[in-house]
């Protein structure tokens, strides 16, 4: 798929960067003129993935979270969020609604469900000790003009 | 992230402003819990009028406060949720436990 534009943003795993990631995605997407709802969906999905990297991936450590956003032909948005944290041993189980390994921290186990329902495609690759990569895609509605 | 809590005779209202994410939830959680434990309101209303963003961290925040306030003999309601926030809430089934408008 032809790439029209692309950015990469690397940030340390500080919780304050959950908002930074949302801001970066929002400003990059201005050029595609998404609807308010589309923008809100994408911002929320990005927030979930970055929060997971900070909260779970780098639980007892620190590291970088990499965010890649691409605008593809056909108004498709590609997003990749990558950490080199602890990884997930059972991805299928992790993606089940309400599954969480941190209930005492008031995590509700819905992050992946939000990503799945707000984006068109969600793919999670993870390996224990190496890290986790989340790829999401969403096609924006046709532009009116 | 800001919060203003007003105690009325029948209900207390917490007016929240800004974005609810994992980073901000910690502070909100401790402020709300301090209030719930010290005042023990019969009804606490979280007013989301000025909330501009919420992800699944907000679900944990609401669920946790609902649990605590029930233990104190009161109940929790959430009002003025905008449509995109309601879409996140709907995924959780929280509307069966907490009154959300
Ligand atoms: N980047 C990651 N690194 C390591 N583990 C992860 C990562 N992302 C998710 N997980 C694991 O998958 C589980 C489910 O993630 P999900 O985002 O659905 O729920 P949660 O983060 O536990 O709760 P919520 O997102 O609702 O606050 C997590 O509890 C965690 O065990
Ligand atoms: Mg999560």
């Amino acid at each position: 798929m032809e790439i029209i534009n692309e950015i990469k943003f690397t940030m340390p795993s500080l919780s304050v960067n959950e908002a930074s990631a949302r801001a970066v995605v929002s400003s990059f997407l201005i050029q595609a003129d998404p609807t308010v709802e589309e923008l809100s969906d994408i911002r929320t999905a990005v927030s979930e993935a970055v929060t997971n990297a900070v909260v779970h991936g780098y639980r007892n450590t620190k590291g970088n979270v990499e965010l890649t956003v691409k605008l593809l032909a056909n108004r498709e948005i590609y997003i990749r969020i990558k950490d080199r944290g602890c990884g997930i041993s059972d991805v299928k189980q992790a993606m089940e609604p309400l599954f969480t390994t941190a209930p005492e921290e008031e995590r509700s186990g819905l992050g992946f469900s939000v990503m799945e329902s707000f984006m068109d495609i969600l793919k999670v690759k993870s390996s224990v000790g190496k890290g986790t990569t989340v790829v999401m895609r969403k096609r924006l509605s046709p532009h009116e003009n | 992230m800001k919060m203003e809590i007003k105690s009325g005779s029948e209900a207390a209202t917490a007016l929240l402003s800004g974005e609810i994410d994992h980073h901000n939830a910690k502070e909100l959680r401790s402020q709300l819990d301090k209030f719930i434990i010290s005042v023990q309101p019969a009804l606490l209303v979280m007013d989301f009028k000025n909330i501009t963003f919420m992800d699944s961290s907000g679900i944990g925040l609401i669920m946790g406060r609902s649990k605590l306030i029930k233990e104190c003999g009161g109940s929790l309601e959430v009002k003025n949720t905008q449509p995109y926030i309601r879409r996140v809430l709907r995924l959780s089934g929280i509307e069966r436990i907490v009154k959300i408008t």
Side-chain angles (χ1 to χ4, degrees):
Chain A
M1 181 68 68
E2 186 201 343
I3 299 168
I4 293 169
N5 196 0
E6 171 175 5
I7 50 163
K8 285 198 164 96
F9 184 72
T10 303
M11 61 206 128
S13 56
L14 303 170
S15 63
V16 70
N17 284 330
E18 295 153 10
S20 314
R22 295 195 296 273
V24 165
V25 166
S26 301
S27 47
F28 178 78
L29 289 180
I30 291 173
Q31 65 197 293
D33 195 19
T35 65
V36 172
E37 186 168 296
E38 286 164 346
L39 180 61
S40 150
D41 287 357
I42 296 171
R43 274 162 55 82
T44 310
V46 165
S47 193
E48 295 294 352
V50 172
T51 301
N52 279 352
V54 172
V55 171
H56 306 293
Y58 294 116
R59 167 150 302 261
N60 298 311
T61 52
K62 275 186 205 142
N64 284 335
V65 182
E66 282 172 36
L67 168 68
T68 304
V69 190
K70 296 179 196 178
L71 171 62
L72 308 176
N74 294 331
R75 297 180 52 74
E76 196 177 4
I77 308 299
Y78 167 103
I79 290 171
R80 191 183 74 176
I81 288 128
K82 183 178 169 143
D83 69 64
R84 291 186 175 79
C86 65
I88 304 172
S89 57
D90 185 342
V91 172
K92 197 168 164 273
Q93 180 188 47
M95 291 177 76
E96 276 168 20
L98 304 176
F99 176 84
T100 181
T101 49
E104 70 293 340
E105 288 165 37
E106 301 194 340
R107 308 315 313 167
S108 53
L110 287 167
F112 282 131
S113 306
V114 167
M115 293 180 237
E116 206 156 28
S117 69
F118 286 13
M119 301 294 284
D120 298 338
I121 295 172
L122 167 66
K123 282 185 188 147
V124 182
K125 270 196 202 154
S126 191
S127 85
V128 173
K130 292 218 173 104
T132 302
T133 302
V134 172
V135 170
M136 303 183 278
R137 289 168 179 262
K138 188 179 181 77
R139 180 93 180 265
L140 303 180
S141 54
H143 213 241
E144 290 159 32
N145 54 29
Chain B
M1 196 74 231
K2 267 192 334 204
M3 184 166 59
E4 216 178 286
I5 309 185
K6 281 194 193 124
S7 272
S9 55
E10 272 151 44
T13 302
L15 178 64
L16 292 81
S17 314
E19 304 192 317
I20 304 181
D21 62 6
H22 158 254
H23 180 74
N24 291 327
K26 279 177 239 169
E27 177 62 27
L28 290 173
R29 173 183 175 172
S30 75
Q31 281 188 47
L32 284 164
D33 285 1
K34 223 192 281 168
F35 178 80
I36 293 168
I37 290 164
S38 62
V39 176
Q40 310 233 338
L43 175 63
L44 175 63
V45 180
M46 289 167 77
D47 188 342
F48 272 37
K49 183 170 62 184
N50 298 328
I51 291 296
T52 53
F53 174 83
M54 190 192 90
D55 62 18
S56 68
S57 303
I59 295 166
L61 182 76
I62 298 170
M63 293 279 223
R65 307 300 65 71
S66 164
K67 224 176 124 202
L68 178 66
I69 202 164
K70 267 184 197 149
E71 283 166 16
C72 297
S75 67
L76 180 74
E77 285 180 20
V78 180
K79 75 170 181 187
N80 292 325
T81 53
Q82 300 184 38
Y84 57 87
I85 288 175
R86 226 162 314 145
R87 289 176 56 229
V88 178
L89 292 170
R90 215 173 291 141
L91 281 175
S92 69
I94 199 177
E95 287 143 308
R96 289 190 301 252
I97 303 166
V98 178
K99 185 178 167 200
I100 294 179
T101 51

